[in-house]
Amino acid sequence: MRLKDLGEFGLIQKFFRSAGTRDRSVLAGIGDDAAVIALGSDHCLLVTTDILLEDIHFTQRFTTPFLLGKKSVAVNLSDIAAMGGDPRYYVVSLSVPGSLPVRFVQELYRGMRSRARQWGVVLLGGDTTGSKHGVSLSITMIGTAARSRVVYRHGARPGDQIYVTGTLGNAALGLTLLMRGLDGPESRQLIRRHQDPEPRVAVGRMLGAQKIATSMIDISDGLLGDLHHILEQSQVGARLVRDAIPLSRQYKKFCQYAGSDPYRCALAGGEDYELLFTAPAHHHARIHRIAQSLKLPITPIGEIIKRPGWLEVVDKHGRRVPVGREKGFTHF
Amino acid sequence: MRLKDLGEFGLIQKFFRSAGTRDRSVLAGIGDDAAVIALGSDHCLLVTTDILLEDIHFTQRFTTPFLLGKKSVAVNLSDIAAMGGDPRYYVVSLSVPGSLPVRFVQELYRGMRSRARQWGVVLLGGDTTGSKHGVSLSITMIGTAARSRVVYRHGARPGDQIYVTGTLGNAALGLTLLMRGLDGPESRQLIRRHQDPEPRVAVGRMLGAQKIATSMIDISDGLLGDLHHILEQSQVGARLVRDAIPLSRQYKKFCQYAGSDPYRCALAGGEDYELLFTAPAHHHARIHRIAQSLKLPITPIGEIIKRPGWLEVVDKHGRRVPVGREKGFTHF
């Protein structure tokens, strides 16, 4: 059997999970946004790693080295944010062809530093090597959190409301527009969301610190796919209200113009790096205050139900909407 | 300017170092075997990362997926060992072509786990992705150490003795033999040293815990190159006694047979992953006891002198031996 027959998630499950861990200091290993290590009685380390590979995750045609650097740090910040943690340190593994202009690496680091500095995250070092084919960039980020404030994927409970930050589908639509050469002034904002996602560190930290969220994940594989991870690990189901999904003005305008279903990208498109979380209904007012203080929309889009693994989408009239539960992007 | 004109070390210095770090919790960043982070008043985290790239660092012709997995963990263990630390956790970034047999990844993980389990090191998780060209493997390892016991590269003092563990040159000669197709029963032990290095975790930990070593590094770039890092960071010089350099029986036999200078590989060859350290002369007896208890040779091969950056090699009669100070392997 070849890897492409197995698929990425199959591969990860097959090998990483079987590794298991019987070390008592590891509170969460594979299968959350970041691994969680107990440090002393009250503190935790959060560890996450992400690869960005040329012509798989990005192409130099559609981004700049500066934005690539920013994004590589942002996607890791987003993982720490999704655990309610404080991002602190990162290391970089970088493989680049010798034929690449020095300026490329300069700009890449400038991008990394610019995103890292925004959140006080420190570059510890890394390994750099020549490659024969393209750029490969892997970042490992370390965060900290109080043990009682870490937010996992497995805490969602029936009756909890499901929330998302920001607006959805922008990054996926932005990429589509880029690929079609529609890089004009009207589409620039959507394209920016693909090239330069804004990690939701502040809101993740507040939802953890105030013990509001019962479960949390960042939307990197698409709303449905990522919600499914929460359902699976929390052993619950969900009912989503399609019409409640927050969409940006530009996003709606482009969908209307193209005559395409605005909920397609919003449900299945990835890389928005917004936070998806669940919280008991009585926290609604506190969530509203957080949204106001951060000037970031946080929208309830459904609720957690008992039926494990069940995911249904209804329209504003409560009628079921068929959605081909498109899974996240598979790398093989 | 292209990267190949700059060279690897130039690249690392140019970008990583300029990143600097003004975070007070970072006791050492780029420029040692691992970064050191202060945790509370007495404890430290050690963080290191290493890339293994197909056709740059390894070729499938010269190793097996199992041995590659072992080595990928071993080189990171070696970095933690060279700081006097306890290796604890690791994460893996793996890119593999979809056409690769599943068995390859199975064996790779089996190799990683086998080396990690030997030292109680736990796999936290990682990221896995398809690649278009070859296998790329990057591991980030986290260790712990008491703050007062971390051994840096910058502590060597004039008068300190210079020691190495094990015997040198084996891995470099093993690779040469492999490349020449000389994979016979007599050369197998040397080839093994290239394919499956043994990280010196126990001795590194003891040298740190007993506060014996004043500086330490692992020999991955060759004795001269790695000693030079210590000299540079400690602002001292060194006099090495060439004839004191420990060589294995097989190694000497092959050099004799080929009529080649046995000290060439031993001085400049890399990837032995032995530890090179300095210690005050009065610790000699304690070092001897550690060597006996671990059944691992630890050999004095010279001494630290005042003259900063100066590195001279003498024979057993004290006569200067000219050595083209070959630098470590450059990736561009």
Side-chain angles (χ1 to χ4, degrees), chain A residues 118-140:
Chain A
Q118 183 187 356
W119 299 104
V121 183
V122 174
L123 176 61
L124 292 178
D127 194 11
T128 312
T129 177
S131 83
K132 294 200 173 172
H133 308 280
V135 175
S136 163
L137 182 56
S138 167
I139 288 183
T140 299

Side-chain angles (χ1 to χ4, degrees), chain A residues 184-228:
Chain A
E186 308 81 25
S187 57
R188 198 142 294 156
Q189 213 173 322
L190 294 164
I191 287 171
R192 218 358 124 99
R193 292 295 303 273
H194 161 70
Q195 291 173 329
D196 187 21
E198 184 75 39
R200 301 304 184 191
V201 179
V203 68
R205 205 154 44 186
M206 286 171 95
L207 291 166
Q210 298 185 31
K211 298 190 187 184
I212 289 172
T214 52
S215 73
M216 187 150 58
I217 192 170
D218 72 334
I219 303 184
S220 54
D221 290 335
L223 173 59
L224 293 179
D226 287 314
L227 177 55
H228 191 74

Side-chain angles (χ1 to χ4, degrees), chain B:
Chain B
M1 196 195 255
R2 315 232 142 220
L3 287 169
K4 58 185 164 203
D5 309 319
L6 196 64
E8 189 200 9
F9 295 107
L11 178 75
I12 291 173
Q13 264 169 318
K14 201 165 159 61
F15 302 105
F16 280 87
R17 298 225 171 153
S18 77
T21 145
R22 270 169 239 111
D23 191 293
R24 282 194 306 170
S25 68
V26 181
L27 305 182
I30 300 104
D32 216 312
D33 290 274
V36 185
I37 302 170
L39 275 187
S41 59
D42 189 43
H43 280 77
C44 283
L45 277 189
L46 306 170
V47 185
T48 182
T49 190
D50 267 297
I51 308 171
L52 284 178
L53 214 57
E54 186 164 0
D55 295 331
I56 301 276
H57 302 96
F58 72 93
T59 151
Q60 292 193 41
R61 276 197 304 143
F62 292 161
T63 191
T64 67
F66 176 75
L67 291 175
L68 179 65
K70 276 187 90 175
K71 185 165 178 172
S72 68
V73 169
V75 301
N76 283 281
L77 287 169
S78 182
D79 281 328
I80 301 291
M83 305 296 291
D86 257 319
R88 299 291 304 276
Y89 312 100
Y90 69 112
V91 292
V92 178
S93 288
L94 176 65
S95 307
V96 279
S99 59
L100 212 67
V102 172
R103 180 124 193 100
F104 183 97
V105 181
Q106 259 170 339
E107 283 294 297
L108 189 74
Y109 276 93
R110 204 170 62 82
M112 287 186 195
R113 280 208 302 276
S114 118
R115 213 19 130 201
R117 206 185 285 129
Q118 183 187 356
W119 300 104
V121 183
V122 174
L123 176 61
L124 292 178
D127 194 10
T128 313
T129 176
S131 82
K132 295 201 171 171
H133 308 280
V135 176
S136 164
L137 180 57
S138 168
I139 288 183
T140 300
M141 192 171 281
I142 299 176
T144 52
R147 187 163 172 168
S148 59
R149 286 162 181 192
V150 176
V151 187
Y152 297 90
R153 294 180 179 176
H154 58 61
R157 287 169 304 211
D160 282 354
Q161 297 294 295
I162 302 167
Y163 293 87
V164 285
T165 64
T167 55
L168 297 188
N170 300 297
L173 181 56
L175 176 60
T176 306
L177 295 171
L178 254 179
M179 287 167 70
R180 294 196 183 151
L182 296 168
D183 186 0
E186 308 82 25
S187 56
R188 198 143 294 156
Q189 214 173 319
L190 294 165
I191 287 170
R192 219 359 123 102
R193 293 295 303 274
H194 161 71
Q195 291 173 329
D196 187 21
E198 185 73 40
R200 302 303 185 191
V201 179
V203 68
R205 207 155 41 185
M206 288 171 93
L207 291 167
Q210 298 184 31
K211 299 189 188 184
I212 289 172
T214 51
S215 72
M216 188 150 58
I217 191 170
D218 73 333
I219 303 184
S220 55
D221 290 335
L223 173 59
L224 292 180
D226 287 314
L227 177 55
H228 190 76
H229 291 310
I230 284 187
L231 302 185
E232 211 175 30
Q233 293 189 34
S234 300
Q235 296 284 305
V236 292
R239 183 179 298 111
L240 278 190
V241 183
R242 187 195 61 182
D243 305 73
I245 294 173
L247 307 174
S248 73
R249 207 171 49 79
Q250 289 84 352
Y251 177 89
K252 281 190 281 193
K253 220 167 94 182
F254 262 92
C255 288
Q256 202 167 22
Y257 179 76
S260 64
D261 175 6
Y263 294 106
R264 216 187 140 268
C265 267
L267 284 165
E271 296 218 294
D272 280 315
Y273 297 101
E274 296 293 349
L275 294 179
L276 170 66
F277 65 95
T278 57
H282 67 261
H283 281 322
H284 195 76
R286 294 175 71 191
I287 292 168
H288 184 67
R289 280 196 296 276
I290 290 177
Q292 281 188 314
S293 74
L294 297 175
K295 295 187 177 61
L296 174 72
I298 303 180
T299 314
I301 59 168
E303 66 172 334
I304 295 296
I305 59 176
K306 266 189 181 161
R307 197 168 162 184
W310 181 260
L311 174 50
E312 64 178 42
V313 182
V314 299
D315 66 13
K316 57 187 164 194
H317 309 294
R319 281 187 298 245
R320 285 282 296 282
V321 181
V323 280
R325 254 219 51 242
E326 285 152 273
K327 282 208 176 172
F329 177 67
T330 290
H331 293 296
F332 296 102

